[in-house]
């Protein structure tokens, strides 16, 4: 393969396939290289796809894409060992104007890569990109085994571990406090059972986000999403916390599944797949250099994920950043100049978009999330307070405020509670 | 009461996944470093439980690796040499 491409994209996840799609549509000569047997074969996430960024590129994509269910609600669940308190949000608005979908990555990513191929990109699977070619400090292509693939620009869309960004000298070592590990099971259940159990109409879906006992007090959370004929059940735990607490992460999944109120939701389901991946958790604080001469970094490789407590976002950032990187390359192509100064327009596009805007707005979230009380003390406290409010045992009742203060006694001061609350105000 | 939620061993869970195992391991561990490591964080972070202690000695098997990257990030001693499997090899998610 000695043909010189306008662009080589490494990794056919949502970021890479979107970038390849947009560039191919603009008439660029693009190759998309994926190490898996098929796009999506190495990819896992929750997975909840917020539709807006892809909708801009492929209007009403959900009519052709293999999406699972249209998400009409989100239940945020504070979990203690035997109880829970939940906020359950649902809106019919999301039926009219879809906001997000649950997807299964092996199917969805395959479809998106196919779209890139149909748009004119060359898609190569089964090949691992081993390195970048560097000439006089500029990236001028990639190395695949003993082959060299020259290109004007490389887009690193190779996921959270991004060895390409590392090899190009754009990022340093990865830290255990900046990464969580997500572990997931796909649990098969008949469609009718899911719709009955989760109170859903056909094609409607729901997402559950848990915090508290699900991670045994460690930083992280759990999810339960409804797919067409399966549930995605997963836990996310900060790697540093697993190390400190010396708890085996696979056991955390089993612990979560056995919670009395989780057990009911997955009852009689059969696990049909087990998957895991690391997740960047520090957003803007862990961002690599986003561009250099002949290279751009997109999606998870750039650390573009956001955990705002209520939602976990990643694929929407991936798609938007992939599209913006493509736009930057299209500009560079016009000028026939792929230097860092021309490609710097990518950073400007990101700043003007929700990608860097949201990461800046929520830049205090990662630090706020390090507060251990969120994962142990507070969910327990809320559950205990509600239990005391609900319980009628023949003894005189107290005012709710008194119950709260009594439950807090010896566990957390009012000042700490207020401080944490105010911390959340500026972070979430 | 019958068991509504089956307890699956990690071996059973990995048995549900499709793997195309390469002859060459994509991850190698320098056990001479592990001998001096007291914490052995790798024991806790691997979702496939591929790091095990046998008679006080660390063992690792790359078959069954989900390619998640946790061990690479968790090992402070840099004993883990990590690469993706060669193209087409390793785990093949059918759902993801």
């Amino acid at each position: 393969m000695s043909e010189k491409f306008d662009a080589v994209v490494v990794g056919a996840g949502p970021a890479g396939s979107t970038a390849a799609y947009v560039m191919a549509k603009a008439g660029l000569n693009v190759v998309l290289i994926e190490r898996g047997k098929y796009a999506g074969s190495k990819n896992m996430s929750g997975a909840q796809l917020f539709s807006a960024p892809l909708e801009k590129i492929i209007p009403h994509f959900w009519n052709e894409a293999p999406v699972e269910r249209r998400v009409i609600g989100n239940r945020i669940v504070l979990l203690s060992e035997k109880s829970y308190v939940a906020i359950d949000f649902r809106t019919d608005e999301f039926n009219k104007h879809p906001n997000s979908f649950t997807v299964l990555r092996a199917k969805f990513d395959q479809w998106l890569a196919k779209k890139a191929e149909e748009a004119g990109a060359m898609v190569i699977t089964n090949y691992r990109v081993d390195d970048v070619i560097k000439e006089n400090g500029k990236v001028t292509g990639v190395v695949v085994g003993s082959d060299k693939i020259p290109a004007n620009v490389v887009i690193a869309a190779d996921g959270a571990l991004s060895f390409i960004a590392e090899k190009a000298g754009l990022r340093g070592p990865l830290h255990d406090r900046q990464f969580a590990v997500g572990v997931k099971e796909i649990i098969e259940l008949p469609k009718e059972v899911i719709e009955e159990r989760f109170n859903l109409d056909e094609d409607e879906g729901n997402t559950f986000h848990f915090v508290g006992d699900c991670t045994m007090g460690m930083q992280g959370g759990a999810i339960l999403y409804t797919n067409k004929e399966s549930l995605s059940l997963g836990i996310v735990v900060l790697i540093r916390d697993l190390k400190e607490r010396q708890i085996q992460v696979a056991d955390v999944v089993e612990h979560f599944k056995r919670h009395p109120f989780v057990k009911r939701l997955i009852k009689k389901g059969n696990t049909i797949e087990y998957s895991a991946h690391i997740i960047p958790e520090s957003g803007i604080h862990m961002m690599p250099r986003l561009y250099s001469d002949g290279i751009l970094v997109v999606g998870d490789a750039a650390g573009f994920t956001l955990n705002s407590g209520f939602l976990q976002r990643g694929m929407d950032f991936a798609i938007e950043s992939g599209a913006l990187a493509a736009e930057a390359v299209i500009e560079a192509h016009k000028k026939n100049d792929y230097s860092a100064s021309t490609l710097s327009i990518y950073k400007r596009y990101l700043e003007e978009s929700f990608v860097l805007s949201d990461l800046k707005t929520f830049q205090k979230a990662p630090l706020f999330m390090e507060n251990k009380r969120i994962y142990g003390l507070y969910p327990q406290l809320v559950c205990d307070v509600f239990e005391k409010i609900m319980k009628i045992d023949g003894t005189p009742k107290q005012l709710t405020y008194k119950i709260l203060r009594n439950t807090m006694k010896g566990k957390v001061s009012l000042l700490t509670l207020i401080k944490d609350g105010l911390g959340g105000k500026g972070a979430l | 009461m019958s068991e509504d939620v089956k307890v699956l061993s990690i071996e059973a869970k990995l048995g549900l996944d499709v793997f195309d195992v390469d002859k060459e391991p994509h991850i190698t561990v320098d056990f001479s470093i592990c001998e001096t490591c007291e914490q052995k964080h790798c024991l806790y972070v691997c979702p496939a439980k591929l790091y095990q202690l046998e008679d006080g000695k660390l063992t690792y098997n790359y078959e069954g690796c989900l390619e998640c990257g946790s061990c690479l990030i968790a090992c402070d001693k840099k004993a883990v040499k990590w690469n993706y499997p060669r193209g087409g090899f390793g785990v093949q998610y059918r759902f993801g």
Side-chain angles (χ1 to χ4, degrees):
Chain A
M1 225 187 303
S2 57
E3 180 186 359
K4 186 171 182 180
F5 290 92
D6 291 323
V8 43
V9 182
V10 184
S17 288
T18 303
Y21 177 85
V22 173
M23 290 187 293
K25 276 261 168 190
L28 272 63
N29 185 15
V30 180
V31 60
L32 172 61
I33 308 174
E34 163 59 41
R35 70 185 179 90
K37 271 198 171 65
Y38 46 89
S41 63
K42 300 291 182 181
N43 303 350
M44 67 81 75
S45 53
Q48 183 179 12
L49 171 72
F50 293 93
S51 32
L54 190 55
E55 162 78 351
K56 274 191 296 188
I57 298 161
I58 307 173
H60 291 77
F61 68 86
W62 50 84
N63 290 330
E64 56 170 306
V67 295
E68 291 294 311
R69 288 176 181 272
R70 183 177 60 251
V71 177
I72 59 156
N74 184 7
R75 182 177 297 186
I76 296 158
V77 190
L78 305 179
L79 214 57
S80 75
E81 201 185 322
K82 51 182 187 196
S83 320
Y84 76 86
V85 174
I87 298 171
D88 190 16
F89 167 74
R90 277 192 179 209
T91 176
D92 206 28
E93 170 64 16
F94 290 168
N95 272 324
K96 291 192 198 99
H97 302 104
N99 178 58
S100 68
F101 294 88
T102 51
V103 298
L104 292 169
R105 298 290 302 276
K107 297 175 183 176
F108 180 80
D109 291 13
Q110 225 175 139
W111 169 80
L112 195 54
K114 188 95 190 118
K115 292 300 286 184
E117 192 167 33
E118 284 166 11
M122 181 191 283
V123 180
I124 300 176
T125 54
N126 278 311
Y127 283 91
R128 182 185 71 194
V129 173
D130 295 312
D131 207 346
V132 293
I133 309 170
K134 266 190 156 185
E135 287 169 43
N136 306 321
K138 284 185 197 153
V139 174
T140 58
V142 295
V143 180
V144 178
S146 55
D147 283 330
K148 285 188 174 176
I149 303 178
N152 289 323
V153 68
V154 173
I155 294 184
D158 55 334
L161 286 164
S162 193
F163 295 124
I164 296 302
E166 184 183 32
K167 280 173 174 153
L170 298 181
R171 76 151 172 85
L174 309 168
H175 295 293
D176 59 6
R177 65 188 281 270
Q178 296 179 323
F179 284 93
V181 54
V183 187
K184 192 174 85 161
E185 286 185 24
I186 300 288
I187 300 172
E188 194 176 44
L189 274 172
K191 183 173 168 291
E192 302 73 38
V193 173
I194 292 173
E195 286 164 10
E196 180 75 30
R197 196 175 288 178
F198 292 87
N199 188 20
L200 299 166
D201 268 349
E202 188 157 6
D203 296 334
E204 283 180 349
N206 206 3
T207 58
F208 287 46
H209 293 97
F210 301 84
V211 66
D213 183 65
C214 46
T215 53
M216 302 157 93
M218 293 181 284
Q219 182 177 339
I223 58 141
L224 186 68
Y225 296 170
T226 55
N227 303 316
K228 272 201 174 85
E229 293 179 308
S230 65
L231 302 173
S232 290
L233 173 143
I235 56 116
V236 172
V237 191
L238 197 72
I239 289 182
R240 188 197 52 192
D241 284 15
L242 289 166
K243 289 166 67 167
E244 280 176 9
R245 292 277 305 277
Q246 302 197 327
I247 297 173
Q248 221 299 332
V249 67
D251 299 339
V252 182
V253 183
E254 285 303 310
H255 173 80
F256 175 54
K257 283 171 71 180
R258 278 177 229 165
H259 188 282
F261 294 105
V262 175
K263 208 160 79 175
R264 285 165 169 78
L265 295 170
I266 59 173
K267 196 164 80 177
K268 296 206 182 339
N270 280 322
T271 299
I272 51 172
E273 191 170 77
Y274 182 69
S275 61
H277 211 274
I278 56 155
I279 308 165
E281 289 284 338
S282 287
I284 212 155
H285 309 288
M286 64 191 297
M287 219 164 64
R289 272 167 60 207
L290 297 172
Y291 61 89
S292 182
D293 290 310
I295 185 164
L296 297 165
V297 189
V298 297
D300 271 13
F304 291 155
T305 61
L306 182 60
N307 174 2
S308 71
F310 304 109
L311 298 170
Q312 275 72 42
R313 296 169 57 188
M315 283 182 286
D316 58 326
F317 282 94
I319 289 168
E320 186 79 2
S321 63
L324 296 175
E327 296 297 343
V329 172
I330 293 166
E331 278 303 307
H333 182 70
K334 275 184 205 156
K335 289 190 190 171
N336 193 27
D337 173 11
Y338 298 87
S339 66
S341 79
T342 303
L343 293 175
S344 69
I345 198 169
Y346 170 51
K347 179 101 187 273
R348 211 186 78 207
Y349 289 160
L350 288 168
E351 281 162 351
E352 288 165 1
S353 78
F354 71 82
V355 177
L356 283 184
S357 171
D358 286 4
L359 288 178
K360 272 180 195 151
T361 302
F362 296 100
Q363 62 179 313
K364 288 183 182 160
L367 189 64
F368 176 78
M369 296 290 183
E370 286 184 15
N371 183 349
K372 291 279 189 301
R373 288 183 286 277
I374 296 173
Y375 310 99
L377 182 69
Y378 289 150
Q380 184 71 53
L381 195 69
V382 173
C383 288
D384 288 351
V385 166
F386 269 84
E387 193 183 317
K388 284 177 190 161
I389 293 171
M390 300 301 163
K391 195 168 174 181
I392 302 297
D393 60 359
T395 62
K397 296 293 288 182
Q398 287 179 317
L399 287 170
T400 304
Y401 177 73
K402 273 247 164 100
I403 293 178
L404 175 66
R405 290 308 305 272
N406 283 338
T407 312
M408 283 167 61
K409 210 169 274 173
K411 290 173 187 151
V412 60
S413 73
L414 189 61
L415 188 67
T416 305
L417 185 75
I418 291 168
K419 264 194 198 156
D420 286 349
L422 289 175
K425 177 178 151 257
L428 304 182
Chain B
M1 203 177 80
S2 70
E3 196 63 58
D4 282 331
V5 176
K6 291 178 203 102
V7 178
L8 290 177
S9 68
I10 192 65
E11 291 78 14
K13 285 187 189 182
L14 294 175
L16 300 167
D17 291 345
V18 178
F19 291 97
D20 199 341
V21 180
D22 200 355
K23 302 182 295 285
E24 291 287 305
H26 60 286
I27 295 174
T28 50
V29 180
D30 184 344
F31 294 112
S32 68
I33 297 175
C34 305
E35 274 174 30
T36 66
C37 174
E38 281 179 30
Q39 296 85 5
K40 296 191 174 42
H41 296 309
C42 50
L43 293 173
Y44 309 107
V45 302
C46 176
K49 296 192 181 178
L50 298 176
Y51 293 85
Q52 297 278 345
L53 274 184
E54 276 170 33
D55 305 324
K57 279 201 165 178
L58 192 75
T59 64
Y60 171 74
N61 181 2
Y62 72 98
E63 296 169 27
C65 174
L66 302 171
E67 300 161 36
C68 73
S70 301
C71 59
L72 174 66
I73 289 170
C75 179
D76 303 324
K77 304 279 193 299
K78 303 207 186 315
V80 178
K81 199 158 167 259
W82 216 100
N83 199 351
Y84 288 119
R86 285 188 303 150
F89 288 101
V91 70
Q92 322 281 341
Y93 291 132
R94 294 160 298 137
F95 303 97

